[in-house]
Amino acid sequence: MADARTSSSMSPADLAALANAVEALEKTSFAARATALLGRQIELAGKLVPAKISTAVSKAAASALKAAMHVALSSLKNRPQKDSRAFHRTLAAASGAAGGAFGLASLPVELPVSTTVMLRSIADIARAEGEDLTNPEAALACLQVFALGGQSAGADLMDGGYFAMRGLLAKSVSEAAAYVAQKGVVDEAAPVLVRLLGQIAGRFGVVVSQKLVAQAVPLIGAVGGAAVNVAFTDHFQSLAKGHFTVRRLERLYSPDIVRAEYERIAIASGLTPKRQNKTADASANV
């Protein structure tokens, strides 16, 4: 990058911001949040969701991401920077109350609402970290956040962590951004966008299944459903803050410098280092 710093010395403030990003992106899972909230194991239960329900969740996740991409990103263009996370948590709680009260039957209606709310919040966080959402690549980076939340708690840094997922999505994001830039519109039926949304939906669906299990806990009801949805929204807001902090620092320094510091911090925090595969190594500028 032409304006990136050449020195590998990051400021104390930037190192602290990066450490917070590592914490959010590598150590926090929605399953852990839900387990703390409900006092029971959610991650394992999410893996035992019947195939029929998993199929319904996958379809709902894909539809929700498609709707959110069109509605939320388009409506955020040229709005002033602001931190509206509290407002979006309130909207998420309202939609979660419906999910808690009506369960799986409400998913096709509730999930697009809560996903659109979250994506608007993610886009606000992106703007606050200096992203230009009129740039297709930056706009699609908002959608990437939904793929970052599907790893298990304690997933290996180099095998299933943040940079690995960016690497897996790199080609699809690049092709989708080029398509949107060329066409000037978002056509959800375009093959490049369908492929990207499919990749993201597969990971997003993991967390949606965990959310569904949490909301299905006996007696949780509407009030508990709202609390689960707030945790759901907080989870993706935290991932967004980490993701766009890393991207901001990559613009300020360089992708190589930031990644080296990221891995150093992660290892110091007790994560086991392993070399990523070549696909993941392609993630530096995505």
Side-chain angles (χ1 to χ4, degrees):
M1 295 182 184
D3 59 347
R5 298 180 185 178
T6 57
S7 171
S8 62
S9 177
M10 294 177 65
S11 73
D14 287 338
L15 284 172
L18 186 59
N20 289 335
V22 172
E23 180 79 18
L25 293 165
E26 303 293 349
K27 292 187 175 182
T28 306
S29 71
F30 173 71
R33 290 175 184 267
T35 295
L37 179 66
L38 302 175
R40 62 178 65 191
Q41 182 58 254
I42 294 299
E43 184 169 21
L44 178 60
K47 294 177 181 177
L48 300 178
V49 171
K52 185 176 181 179
I53 294 179
S54 293
T55 299
V57 167
S58 296
K59 290 181 179 178
S63 296
L65 289 171
K66 183 186 296 185
M69 178 177 66
H70 180 75
V71 175
L73 294 184
S74 296
S75 65
L76 273 163
K77 288 183 180 180
N78 301 320
R79 288 193 179 185
Q81 293 186 13
K82 61 180 180 178
D83 187 343
S84 57
R85 280 176 280 183
F87 172 69
H88 289 121
R89 278 195 292 268
T90 301
L91 293 182
S95 66
F102 299 105
L104 181 63
S106 70
L107 192 66
V109 175
E110 183 267 324
L111 188 61
V113 173
S114 60
T115 303
T116 298
V117 167
M118 286 191 296
L119 190 52
R120 290 181 65 102
S121 179
I122 288 167
D124 279 352
I125 292 168
R127 290 178 65 94
E129 292 294 331
E131 300 281 353
D132 176 9
L133 293 184
T134 63
N135 179 336
E137 190 275 333
L140 291 172
C142 294
L143 281 179
Q144 276 185 293
V145 172
F146 291 107
L148 302 177
Q151 72 231 39
S152 300
D156 190 273
L157 168 66
M158 304 304 168
D159 285 343
Y162 170 68
F163 281 105
M165 182 49 56
R166 279 180 68 177
L168 289 172
L169 293 173
K171 185 172 186 286
S172 294
V173 169
S174 177
E175 291 176 349
Y179 172 84
V180 174
Q182 179 182 16
K183 299 294 184 181
V185 294
V186 176
D187 178 6
E188 297 91 344
V192 290
L193 293 177
V194 170
R195 181 166 58 252
L196 175 62
L197 289 177
Q199 289 179 298
I200 295 172
R203 300 279 290 197
F204 183 46
V206 172
V207 187
V208 173
S209 292
Q210 294 168 349
K211 171 179 174 289
L212 190 64
V213 169
Q215 290 179 316
V217 171
L219 304 180
I220 190 170
V223 174
V228 169
N229 238 34
V230 168
F232 189 63
T233 302
D234 282 347
H235 177 57
F236 285 103
Q237 288 179 336
S238 178
L239 291 172
K241 179 65 175 176
H243 179 47
F244 289 108
T245 293
V246 170
R247 285 172 56 90
R248 173 176 61 80
L249 294 175
E250 287 174 341
R251 293 191 298 272
L252 183 61
Y253 297 93
S254 78
D256 288 343
I257 289 172
V258 173
R259 181 166 178 172
E261 290 294 338
Y262 186 106
E263 293 181 1
R264 181 190 63 77
I265 292 168
I267 292 167
S269 300
L271 296 173
T272 303
K274 290 183 182 179
R275 291 311 305 161
Q276 288 181 299
N277 56 37
K278 292 181 180 180
T279 301
D281 286 336
S283 65
N285 291 316
V286 178

